[in-house]
Amino acid sequence: MKQQLEELLQNAVERLKSEGVLAADTTVIIKLDRTKNKDHGDLACNIAMMLAKAAKMPPRALAEKIIAAMPENDIVSQCDIAGPGFINIFFNEEAASAIIKTILDEKDDFGKNNSGGGEKVQVEFVSANPTGPLHIGHGRGAAVGDSLCRLLAATGWDVTPEFYYNDAGVQIHTLTVSVTARAQGLKPGDEAWPEDAGYLGEYIADVATAFLNKETVEAADMKVTASGDVEDTDSIRTFAVAYLRQEQDRDLKAFAVEFDVYFLESSLYEEGKVEAAVQQMIANGKTYEKDGALWLKTTDYGDDKDRVMRKSDGGYTYFVPDVAYHLDKWQRGFTRVINEQGADHHSTITRVRAGLQALEQDIPEGWPDYVLHQMVMVMKGGEEVKLSKRAGSYLTLRDLIDEVGRDATRYFLVSRRPDAQLTFDIDLAKSQSNDNPVYYIQYAHARVCAVERKLAEQGIAFELDKTDLSVLNEDTEKALLKTLAHYPQMISAAATKLEPHTVATYLKELASDYHSYYNAHKVLVDDAIIRNARIALGLATKQVLKNGLDVLGVSAPERM
RNA sequence: GCGCUAGUAGCUCAACUGGAUAGAGCAUCGCCCUUCUAAGGCGAGGGUUGAAGGUUCGAGUCCUUCCUGGCGUACCA
């Protein structure tokens, strides 16, 4: 609908060009905005104001000419000129209600488009190290990252979700020592507790017990059986990693998040990719030795100081394997990569990009893209829940899912702009009341289902073909139609801007429109024409609610 | 100090990449269940969009300076 109008306006502009009203070299992007006020019609166009200066004509006068130049058509019922020069466009009723048929025809595909053109995109998210359970910050990453994947898939991209983890570094050493100490029967605080056994949580004791019992653990990308031998450091390490990966997999599964690829940092070392990347940077003259360390000239790429690559003890700093990892992504053919991660790692962005440029592989300067999410603050009982690994007050993602449910957890974590701090109010998320937006949206869906059930009970037939949708003339009906028609643009914008929270906001609006409508008008009225039209409107609403909830990974229940 | 990021109603947040009178929910107050699910709806009050300048037909949105918070600023990851 919007596209058709854009063409109509484009035609009008071309015509004015040929008539000499507008300069022949005028180029415009037709921009149509949804209106906030229904007196302003269905769509508003600001083109007259944009072109007024170039045309040397007052915007309102130009608007008149544009309207006059618009070709004949059967979708516009009226065009007004308003305010400083807006063109307000009103659809006729047949055109407005036609969206219902589109929705009911396209079903789960309604709102999708092919703007990605089947191009490959990789989305890396969560990427938690296997040193403990997932916490609420990982949960936010999982909710945002997964919704991004769904949005990109819905807009024609070939999406590969990927999980990267460190299975070899200092933290893994700490984990191994911690598990070993527990397996020896030690507790944090004991005199013999090793200094470098830095993980003090009780879950470490669980890992140790499982190890001593020679259990077998299985994660998405591995399967390990414990040797049970406390002296066997290798076995302890691989078992502990697998055990915690298994735990994380369970959490992710409970959260309905799946990955195509699990990528091990250790594989980069094993295949010599880290060393190869370093050698390439040295060969390109982007490095220098100083104070016994190897430095990368990141200042050549906008950093405020150069960074150490290889420490004087011979080990690489953390961003070096990261550069090798991203080169690998590039070589796998991902011309687009999106990294979803916590904002506390944002200093790595400059370094990784600088490292990639220093490789001189013709990787575009701004590659890869990043979506950073801010901290999550947890509230319970009106108080902030302090999250500290050391103090042991550790709220895991699984605790949260168990307590408030998957749907509410996912919805809340994805409902704010990623780059704004998020307050997660456990009491609110749990409450089954009207202040909880998740239930509000799901309830709208369930209400449509209830009408359907009632319809079946009463044995009334519903035939879409024999329905006259243009009878949907009530204000609340028109508002609902307008919101439904906006869904595809909303999806498109959310995907382009990488902002899944837009979907959450939209769904609240759509649910609100339906609740208002439902309250104002009875669906199952005696008049068959009106009844059928209203049922169709309800079914279309239900479909769009479901499609939107799908993007967020939230269920659309049939009863509540 | 420097960098990134945010600052919108008492509270939690929106605002369609610059549009018209800045919108919801909660909280407060007043209404609506003999009617398809009241986990709902209708109405009222509540604002100098942190501050000051600038850009233009038009700014919460873009630019500059300042204030406040978060994060970062390691030969930690």
Side-chain angles (χ1 to χ4, degrees), chain A residues 235-520:
Chain A
S235 179
I236 292 177
R237 183 179 56 246
T238 50
F239 179 79
V241 166
Y243 184 100
L244 292 167
R245 281 282 314 113
Q246 181 187 53
E247 292 294 302
Q248 293 181 354
D249 270 3
R250 286 180 181 158
D251 296 351
L252 290 168
K253 196 172 178 193
F255 211 41
V257 172
E258 286 178 21
F259 291 90
D260 286 353
V261 179
Y262 287 83
F263 197 101
L264 280 68
E265 184 183 8
S266 62
S267 72
L268 292 166
Y269 287 98
E270 279 162 17
E271 293 166 26
K273 291 184 174 171
V274 178
E275 193 55 34
V278 171
Q279 290 309 321
Q280 186 64 55
M281 286 186 263
I282 293 172
N284 292 346
K286 304 297 181 186
T287 64
Y288 58 89
E289 300 265 355
K290 194 181 91 180
D291 303 332
L294 182 69
W295 298 68
L296 179 66
K297 295 181 195 168
T298 54
T299 45
D300 287 357
Y301 308 100
D303 206 351
D304 50 0
K305 59 180 170 185
D306 291 338
R307 305 291 169 175
V308 169
M309 293 173 63
R310 190 173 58 224
K311 298 179 274 184
S312 51
D313 70 4
Y316 290 117
T317 54
Y318 64 90
F319 84 93
V320 177
D322 239 28
V323 172
Y325 174 44
H326 281 85
L327 175 60
D328 183 78
K329 290 185 185 182
W330 178 258
Q331 289 168 339
R332 276 188 276 157
F334 291 111
T335 50
R336 187 174 188 203
V337 163
I338 298 163
N339 292 326
E340 202 290 346
Q341 50 186 237
D344 53 338
H345 289 107
H346 78 241
S347 61
T348 67
I349 296 176
T350 312
R351 287 171 218 184
V352 169
R353 285 181 179 159
L356 290 167
Q357 290 306 305
L359 289 169
E360 296 183 340
Q361 299 285 314
D362 292 326
I363 296 173
E365 261 182 54
W367 189 94
D369 286 338
Y370 283 84
V371 172
L372 302 180
H373 65 259
Q374 288 286 341
M375 303 278 117
V376 182
M377 191 179 81
V378 181
M379 298 286 287
K380 188 174 183 178
E383 283 179 22
E384 182 181 352
V385 180
K386 293 283 182 193
L387 302 177
S388 159
K389 256 188 189 177
R390 298 221 168 142
S393 68
Y394 193 80
L395 183 70
T396 65
L397 179 59
R398 191 180 312 174
D399 293 340
L400 207 59
I401 296 171
D402 288 346
E403 192 166 353
V404 312
R406 189 238 287 172
D407 286 342
T409 306
R410 281 197 71 139
Y411 183 90
F412 275 79
L413 288 175
V414 82
S415 64
R416 305 284 178 248
R417 292 170 41 211
D419 54 5
Q421 288 170 61
L422 170 70
T423 302
F424 194 103
D425 187 332
I426 290 185
D427 303 311
L428 175 63
K430 270 171 75 174
S431 75
Q432 302 209 334
S433 71
N434 47 359
D435 37 348
N436 192 331
V438 189
Y439 291 106
Y440 184 80
I441 296 163
Q442 292 181 322
Y443 185 44
H445 184 270
R447 270 185 149 173
V448 181
C449 295
V451 175
E452 276 187 276
R453 282 194 297 271
K454 194 78 183 176
L455 185 70
E457 265 174 41
Q458 297 181 356
I460 303 172
F462 165 63
E463 289 160 295
L464 179 59
D465 294 343
K466 295 181 186 167
T467 295
D468 179 9
L469 295 171
S470 67
V471 299
L472 296 170
N473 271 323
E474 302 286 349
D475 281 352
T476 48
E477 290 169 338
K478 288 196 275 194
L480 191 47
L481 284 171
K482 199 166 154 184
T483 305
L484 289 171
H486 181 239
Y487 181 78
Q489 290 157 247
M490 183 281 298
I491 288 293
S492 166
T496 307
K497 293 163 78 176
L498 305 177
E499 290 186 341
H501 77 279
T502 316
V503 181
T505 307
Y506 170 86
L507 288 173
K508 267 198 291 189
E509 208 179 301
L510 178 58
S512 169
D513 284 343
Y514 187 74
H515 286 310
S516 291
Y517 169 55
Y518 182 92
N519 240 268

Side-chain angles (χ1 to χ4, degrees), chain A residues 13 16-17 21-22 26-30 46-59 62 66:
Chain A
V13 169
L16 291 179
K17 274 193 211 173
V21 178
L22 290 168
T26 311
T27 51
V28 280
I29 300 161
I30 305 283
N46 63 357
I47 185 171
M49 289 177 287
M50 304 287 286
L51 296 178
K53 207 169 233 178
K56 291 176 183 148
M57 193 185 287
L62 182 59
I66 292 172

Side-chain angles (χ1 to χ4, degrees), chain A residues 140-196:
Chain A
R140 188 172 192 186
V144 171
D146 189 53
S147 287
L148 280 175
C149 289
R150 293 169 192 244
L151 271 175
L152 290 166
T155 50
W157 291 84
D158 175 11
V159 185
T160 302
E162 184 155 322
F163 185 117
Y164 171 78
Y165 65 95
N166 171 335
D167 59 333
V170 180
Q171 290 181 68
I172 299 300
H173 171 75
T174 305
L175 172 69
T176 309
V177 176
S178 302
V179 173
T180 305
R182 287 283 193 172
Q184 289 165 339
L186 298 169
K187 290 199 177 85
D190 289 354
E191 262 184 54
W193 183 264
E195 246 181 65
D196 53 350

Side-chain angles (χ1 to χ4, degrees), chain A residues 76 136 226 279 536:
Chain A
V76 176
I136 190 167
Q279 290 309 321

